[in-house]
Amino acid sequence: MAYYELTIKINSPFRDNLIQKLTEAGCLGVIEQDNGIIAYFPETIDINAISGHISLFKALLDKSGQPSDITFNHKSIPHEDWNETWKKGFHAIDIGERFTILPPWEEKKKDRINIIIDPAMAFGTGHHETTRSCLVLLEKYADKTGKDTFLDLGTGTGVLAIAASKLGYRQVVGIDTDPLAVEAAQKNIELNQTPDVQISQGGLTELSENFDVIAANLISGVLVQLASLLAAHLKSGGIAILSGILFGQEDDVIEAMKVEGLKLVEKYPDGKWVSLVVKK
Ligand code: SAH
């Protein structure tokens, strides 16, 4: 399999909105740079349609009086180069009080909770604000939750599930609708020697058990859609850490959760993103 590499120069404050659009259109991963982003797509994608999305994005910004100076080009890269490309953009990063996320080819850090992540084709290296926020909140609330059952909804690389396991949660489940994410998460569970973490493919409707903590780093629209199912899968007194919410969209999510009986406990902003902690 080969990949498309799209180099997009963008100097607009709406860069994160563009990343979100590309992710929704099937982008496998993004490397952020000072003057833009590099986005990867599978070769099966219709690259002309993606170019169309970007042009439309630019046109909408221009029209709304926010001229953006976006330019882009793409090239095809063969499979063998894929991992090398990722390696260049992926280094160890400290998060919160105790976590370090690192790729398998870097040395573990002493006195930290090391989480080894080989991103493969999944989202969740810890470099994105939303993953980072989830980890900070996970660490902050771990001692307040009894550390019993934990669900990572939309597990991606498995990073949050592995973190929960290393923090001492008794039973950790990760689910994802994307088979490539499931494959990546399983590999990372092996790398971290956390075999008790159970990963499966699917969504909330496939799960029968309820949890003390649910982490869901999705996007606002999906969080709103899933509010009722999410509340149903939380134990009474349980908390949900919700992320992937762009600044300005948090009230919709808070309202949807409130309707389901979940109370806001904390708002945690990071850059253009906001994460929420809600309690049943
Ligand atoms: N938890 C990781 C990855 C978040 S990316 C982190 O915090 O970094 C979001 C993931 O959710 C993607 O892997 C996507 O495939 C998955 N996903 C999206 N909608 C979903 C749904 N309705 N149910 C389960 N997984 C979903």
Side-chain angles (χ1 to χ4, degrees):
M1 186 160 167
Y3 299 87
Y4 286 116
E5 182 182 271
L6 242 85
T7 304
I8 308 169
K9 303 266 178 262
I10 171 168
N11 61 4
S12 156
F14 294 94
R15 174 169 152 155
D16 282 333
N17 300 62
L18 178 62
I19 294 176
Q20 194 175 6
K21 286 261 172 305
L22 295 175
T23 305
E24 284 163 15
C27 178
L28 295 168
V30 167
I31 294 176
E32 297 201 47
Q33 298 182 319
D34 288 344
N35 60 351
I37 56 175
I38 302 178
Y40 295 93
F41 287 88
E43 65 174 350
T44 46
I45 207 102
D46 177 356
I47 198 70
N48 293 324
I50 301 296
S51 301
H53 284 315
I54 302 172
S55 300
L56 181 63
F57 184 81
K58 178 172 166 33
L60 287 174
L61 285 183
D62 290 349
K63 205 168 163 211
S64 66
Q66 307 262 6
S68 59
D69 224 8
I70 299 174
T71 58
F72 59 94
N73 57 60
H74 74 265
K75 66 178 183 196
S76 197
I77 53 167
H79 181 54
E80 327 52 281
D81 292 347
W82 169 254
N83 283 337
E84 289 312 311
T85 310
W86 263 115
K87 279 185 189 182
K88 267 189 255 154
F90 183 26
H91 300 290
I93 178 171
D94 289 348
I95 297 175
E97 307 270 317
R98 286 172 288 173
F99 291 124
T100 294
I101 315 257
L102 70 163
W105 53 89
E106 282 194 26
E107 189 97 350
K108 284 192 208 161
K109 288 197 186 171
K110 258 201 199 146
D111 304 324
R112 310 246 343 145
I113 302 177
N114 288 276
I115 302 175
I116 305 158
I117 294 296
D118 187 335
M121 309 285 191
F123 183 98
T125 58
H127 287 70
H128 196 268
E129 291 94 330
T130 59
T131 311
R132 226 159 50 199
S133 303
C134 285
L135 286 165
V136 168
L137 292 169
L138 222 152
E139 188 174 50
K140 177 171 173 188
Y141 284 87
D143 292 329
K144 300 179 181 138
T145 63
K147 293 193 197 163
D148 197 34
T149 52
F150 183 100
L151 172 67
D152 180 8
L153 173 60
T155 195
T157 56
V159 56
L160 303 180
I162 292 166
S165 170
K166 291 196 173 185
L167 283 175
Y169 280 87
R170 184 183 60 82
Q171 193 200 344
V172 180
V173 174
I175 56 171
D176 204 297
T177 42
D178 177 359
L180 290 175
V182 170
E183 209 179 291
Q186 263 149 357
K187 186 170 171 203
N188 288 321
I189 283 161
E190 271 175 45
L191 285 171
N192 285 278
Q193 297 170 338
T194 49
D196 291 346
V197 176
Q198 301 160 37
I199 301 286
S200 56
Q201 193 187 334
L204 272 178
T205 41
E206 272 95 346
L207 280 182
S208 52
E209 62 265 60
N210 297 344
F211 298 86
D212 295 289
V213 181
I214 299 179
N217 183 7
L218 302 166
I219 50 174
S220 323
V222 177
L223 290 171
V224 169
Q225 254 173 28
L226 291 180
S228 137
L229 268 173
L230 203 138
H233 280 84
L234 261 187
K235 287 187 189 167
S236 174
I239 62 156
I241 298 170
L242 310 172
S243 196
I245 305 162
L246 277 169
F247 209 84
Q249 297 178 347
E250 67 274 25
D251 287 344
D252 293 346
V253 180
I254 294 169
E255 185 53 35
M257 297 297 155
K258 200 167 133 198
V259 169
E260 302 301 332
L262 305 184
K263 272 198 232 116
L264 180 67
V265 178
E266 178 169 355
K267 265 191 212 181
Y268 182 87
D270 185 350
K272 297 192 192 75
W273 302 87
V274 190
S275 300
L276 305 172
V277 180
V278 295
K279 185 169 183 169
K280 184 161 170 178

